[in-house]
Amino acid sequence: MTLKLSYILLLVGLLLHSCMDDDQWYNLNDYNEQSTGVFILNEGNFMYDNASLSFYKPDSLIVQNNVFAEANGAPLGDVAQSMTIKDSLGFIVLNNSGKIYVINTNTFEFAGKITGLTSPRYIHFINDSKAYVTDLYSKTISIVNPLTFEVTGTIDVDNNHPDFAQHATEQMLQHGKYLFVNCWSYDDKLLVINTETDQWIDSIAVPIQPRSMVMDKNENIWVLTDGGFAGNPFGHEEPALLQLDPQTRQIVSVQRFDLSTSPSDLAINNTGDTLYFINGNVYRRSIYENSTTELFIESPYDGA
């Protein structure tokens, strides 16, 4: 059957009380095939091995927590960074565990793992037999085969900066044969990768610390930067939301925010014409010229 899935990332620490070698798996038959739902990836606490996966069914308003642990008899791992769905498989990137677990999205059962990674962040599929995995510390983008779960090569993105571990790579967006990668940690660059040659071919200077990015329905790229922080050795400036033309690789527009803020988690709706991001509250704005940012959801927490 065709599986329709929406997925969100929720940075919540949920504690799993058991610990088991990840090569021991148990096939539990507690779950039927899922028709529609939302995967919620719970990051967990650094060094506590307590990341978890939940599954929410909007039609019944039911949340199933710890579905990976329940289906497999083992914890998910240490710091769940991101999850990407391809066909009936879910690729869960575990940052501090240095691996990617692959699950069947119908049953939540373990289907394989990708190891040999340093500090993986996101996975992007180029085709059925090639994917890229970004990394916080390795100064490379790993090339993996999602059919065999093997690392087949790397793309060197080290710029040999004497003071900072550049380039640390994050999210990926593809336009034609070119892949755009934001470098968030102590950085101010978008990297351009030729996916046919697996080569880093260009860098685009942007405001400090591009944290997240999306592509709109016109195939323009939007990048949200957090501006660093007070005392940041790389710099501290007003955060920004910028629009980039991927064909010319030129910045089209820049919207600045107050220096004291740190916007994050840029997202876009299904029609590709409305942006959303968190900046204390949840805000939204249209992709069209001269649009203004408006409050969408007010946070119920004081000082958010």
Side-chain angles (χ1 to χ4, degrees):
M1 63 182 290
T2 300
L3 186 68
K4 290 186 177 180
L5 293 168
S6 301
Y7 17 98
I8 60 174
L9 299 181
L10 182 63
L11 305 183
V12 177
L14 297 181
L15 182 61
L16 296 177
H17 296 286
S18 62
C19 184
M20 184 175 294
D21 185 86
D22 64 12
D23 285 317
Q24 299 178 17
W25 302 99
Y26 295 83
N27 292 322
L28 304 182
N29 297 314
D30 295 338
Y31 302 101
N32 296 320
E33 287 192 350
Q34 312 297 322
S35 58
T36 302
V38 179
F39 279 111
I40 303 171
L41 194 61
N42 307 294
E43 183 180 58
N45 303 96
F46 179 65
M47 297 295 291
Y48 277 76
D49 200 33
N50 64 345
S52 66
L53 185 67
S54 301
F55 190 78
Y56 170 58
K57 298 179 180 180
D59 53 351
S60 60
L61 302 181
I62 292 175
V63 177
Q64 295 171 273
N65 290 318
N66 300 321
V67 295
F68 179 90
E70 291 292 334
N72 298 293
L76 182 57
D78 192 4
V79 185
Q81 174 64 32
S82 63
M83 180 178 181
T84 302
I85 307 296
K86 181 171 175 55
D87 301 324
S88 62
L89 295 178
F91 291 73
I92 304 172
V93 181
L94 298 162
N95 176 243
N96 200 48
S97 294
K99 65 184 72 173
I100 298 174
Y101 278 156
V102 186
I103 64 167
N104 183 305
T105 53
N106 292 322
T107 64
F108 315 132
E109 292 177 347
F110 177 79
K113 64 181 177 179
I114 301 171
T115 59
L117 307 169
T118 302
S119 186
R121 303 290 284 180
Y122 297 89
I123 184 169
H124 174 82
F125 297 92
I126 306 301
N127 53 48
D128 288 342
S129 61
K130 184 168 76 170
Y132 290 160
V133 178
T134 53
D135 202 286
L136 183 61
Y137 296 124
S138 72
K139 301 184 182 182
T140 62
I141 295 172
S142 294
I143 306 169
V144 303
N145 186 329
L147 300 177
T148 63
F149 308 139
E150 295 177 331
V151 176
T152 60
T154 58
I155 302 171
D156 184 4
V157 295
D158 186 2
N159 73 344
N160 299 302
H161 196 292
D163 299 319
F164 302 100
Q166 296 176 328
H167 292 292
T169 50
E170 288 284 315
Q171 298 179 349
M172 294 167 278
L173 293 173
Q174 189 166 350
H175 184 269
K177 68 178 181 180
Y178 298 110
L179 190 76
F180 293 78
V181 186
N182 66 309
C183 302
W184 167 63
S185 179
Y186 300 105
D187 215 323
D188 59 358
K189 296 292 189 297
L190 300 185
L191 307 185
V192 183
I193 309 296
N194 185 326
T195 62
E196 293 181 353
T197 63
D198 299 326
Q199 296 292 318
W200 168 27
I201 63 166
D202 199 5
S203 300
I204 303 169
V206 296
I208 289 176
Q209 295 196 171
R211 191 164 185 172
S212 52
M213 59 182 186
V214 298
M215 182 175 287
D216 68 25
K217 69 175 187 178
N218 300 319
E219 298 191 330
N220 289 311
I221 294 174
W222 294 81
V223 182
L224 186 65
T225 73
D226 66 20
F229 54 88
N232 182 6
F234 192 75
H236 186 207
E237 65 180 17
E238 294 176 333
L241 175 65
L242 61 99
Q243 181 184 5
L244 178 81
D245 184 334
Q247 292 186 328
T248 63
R249 302 176 192 166
Q250 298 296 312
I251 295 175
V252 176
S253 65
V254 178
Q255 174 190 343
R256 291 284 184 172
F257 301 94
D258 188 87
L259 182 65
S260 63
T261 64
S262 184
S264 64
D265 299 294
L266 182 64
I268 196 164
N269 64 349
N270 288 338
T271 54
D273 59 7
T274 303
L275 306 170
Y276 298 85
F277 60 90
I278 298 172
N279 196 10
N281 304 304
V282 179
Y283 294 89
R284 68 180 177 186
R285 62 154 287 171
S286 166
I287 65 170
Y288 300 110
E289 188 177 0
N290 299 323
S291 296
T292 57
T293 298
E294 61 182 15
L295 178 65
F296 179 57
I297 300 175
E298 185 173 1
S299 172
Y301 301 103
D302 292 335

